[in-house]
Amino acid sequence: MGLLSILRKLKSTPDQEMRILLLGLDNAGKTTLLKTLASEDVTHITPTQGFNIKSVQSQGFKLNVWDIGGQRKIRPYWRNYFENTDVLFYVIDSADRKRFEETGQELAELLEEEKLDGVPVLLFANKQDLLTAAPASEIAEGLNLHTMRDRIWHIQACSALTGEGVHDGMTWVCKNMTRKKK
């Protein structure tokens, strides 16, 4: 079942538009995830130097996904994209355990941002197709996600490369958008 099929089934209001901000460290798989959501070829991905925007439309839904580069020098500019965000997608490379502390710090800083106050968070524990990947539950525990009380959140194990788990994350988003309060 593709993203468009899921959206058709979960459509709750006509002409619903969502602004999704897609963030995470460099090499986490953000652009691969975006291309998977748009049903595009993922065989040739290059690092994002600025940002990518994709809109997916289907029977009253319009998802505007902003994929912002994750290199250290670009991260200070993330805040320029916070306004009017409906959902934050945060992508974590589950196989890069050396960077768990860094990604946790970046996530914590994002969650403190006033313009993202109360914005639902979908964390994609990406690269689950790799043998060295930490399970989503281990990542959630390591990032102390259970202490997050000011917003709804979900961690979704996935492989952006194979598409496994990606649409499950989108199902969560569609089901929970009615709970979002600005």
Side-chain angles (χ1 to χ4, degrees), residues 118-150:
V119 170
V121 179
L122 174 58
L123 297 104
F124 280 104
N126 192 25
K127 303 189 183 181
Q128 292 293 314
D129 54 313
L130 302 177
L131 293 175
T132 57
S137 59
E138 180 182 320
I139 293 170
E141 188 175 316
L143 296 177
N144 294 315
L145 296 180
H146 62 279
T147 64
M148 197 183 324
R149 303 265 189 254
D150 64 337

Side-chain angles (χ1 to χ4, degrees), residues 125-179:
N126 192 25
K127 303 189 183 181
Q128 292 293 314
D129 54 313
L130 302 177
L131 293 175
T132 57
S137 59
E138 180 182 320
I139 293 170
E141 188 175 316
L143 296 177
N144 294 315
L145 296 180
H146 62 279
T147 64
M148 197 183 324
R149 303 265 189 254
D150 64 337
R151 67 191 75 226
I152 58 171
W153 63 272
H154 178 69
I155 187 163
Q156 177 65 51
C158 77
S159 168
L161 192 60
T162 67
E164 186 175 344
V166 173
H167 297 297
D168 294 335
M170 290 308 300
T171 299
W172 179 85
V173 168
C174 292
K175 284 182 179 176
N176 286 282
M177 278 309 294
T178 56
R179 293 188 207 165

